[in-house]
Amino acid sequence: MPIIKHKQFIQAPVVVCFDLARNIDIHIKTTAKTNEKAVDGVTQGLLEEGDTVTWEATHFGIKQRLTAKVTQMEKPAVFVDIMVKGAFSSFTHIHQFVEEKNGTLMIDTFEYKSPFGPIGIIADKLFLEKYMTDFIISRAKELKRIAENPK
């Protein structure tokens, strides 16, 4: 089961970073490359513990839907979402926010299990783990850009 961990320092207060990371509208902006949109559950505003959201996006040229549920939230330090329906066999995404002297350290830990048993393991090694790592890094950089350059 691959585990992707990415750390991103952001020169913004921890509360700002936490709220941006759980904001549906900001999520859509930070995932524009995959045309993500919220189509069911919470479709705008801030996610709270117990909320579900169904995302529709295009990955590998295929339109897909994935439903995630926020299972834990400790404001403004951590929230956890898990997949309840979608292309993976499972995933857990832990979003952590650590207040530092000049900003916030945002830590994403994404653990997933690919479908299709041995074929999924091969897909992880060939392309999926890199694709998911790049996706998480890209989103973190966009969150940083938005947090550090408020309009």
Side-chain angles (χ1 to χ4, degrees):
M1 193 177 315
I3 300 173
I4 299 165
K5 191 163 192 162
H6 176 70
K7 296 179 181 181
Q8 180 73 60
F9 180 77
I10 303 172
Q11 289 182 306
V14 68
V15 173
V16 169
C17 297
F18 184 83
D19 285 348
L20 286 173
R22 64 192 183 102
N23 184 306
I24 297 286
D25 305 300
I26 297 299
H27 183 97
I28 291 166
K29 287 181 184 178
T30 62
T31 58
K33 292 177 185 177
T34 57
N35 299 312
E36 284 205 28
K37 58 185 176 182
V39 296
D40 199 13
V42 177
T43 59
Q44 61 184 14
L46 300 177
L47 289 167
E48 299 290 347
E49 187 170 348
D51 285 347
T52 61
V53 58
T54 299
W55 298 103
E56 186 175 270
T58 303
H59 297 279
F60 306 111
I62 302 166
K63 190 177 278 191
Q64 303 177 34
R65 284 193 175 197
L66 182 143
T67 302
K69 180 176 184 172
V70 178
T71 60
Q72 178 186 352
M73 186 169 294
E74 298 168 27
K75 297 177 184 179
V78 66
F79 70 95
V80 178
D81 60 289
I82 63 166
M83 185 196 79
V84 293
K85 185 177 181 184
F88 294 97
S89 287
S90 66
F91 83 57
T92 301
H93 189 171
I94 303 167
H95 309 256
Q96 293 174 282
F97 304 85
V98 180
E99 188 171 20
E100 297 201 341
K101 183 178 178 183
N102 296 314
T104 302
L105 182 62
M106 182 175 74
I107 306 165
D108 284 293
T109 306
F110 185 76
E111 183 174 350
Y112 70 94
K113 184 175 181 185
S114 295
F116 311 121
I119 294 170
I121 292 169
I122 293 168
D124 287 336
K125 300 295 182 209
L126 291 177
F127 62 89
L128 188 57
E129 187 171 0
K130 181 181 181 339
Y131 179 84
M132 292 309 303
T133 300
D134 291 348
F135 182 81
I136 288 167
I137 291 170
S138 173
R139 184 165 187 277
K141 286 181 178 177
E142 281 298 299
L143 281 172
K144 175 182 174 69
R145 183 186 63 75
I146 292 167
E148 291 180 352
N149 300 293
K151 294 175 184 167

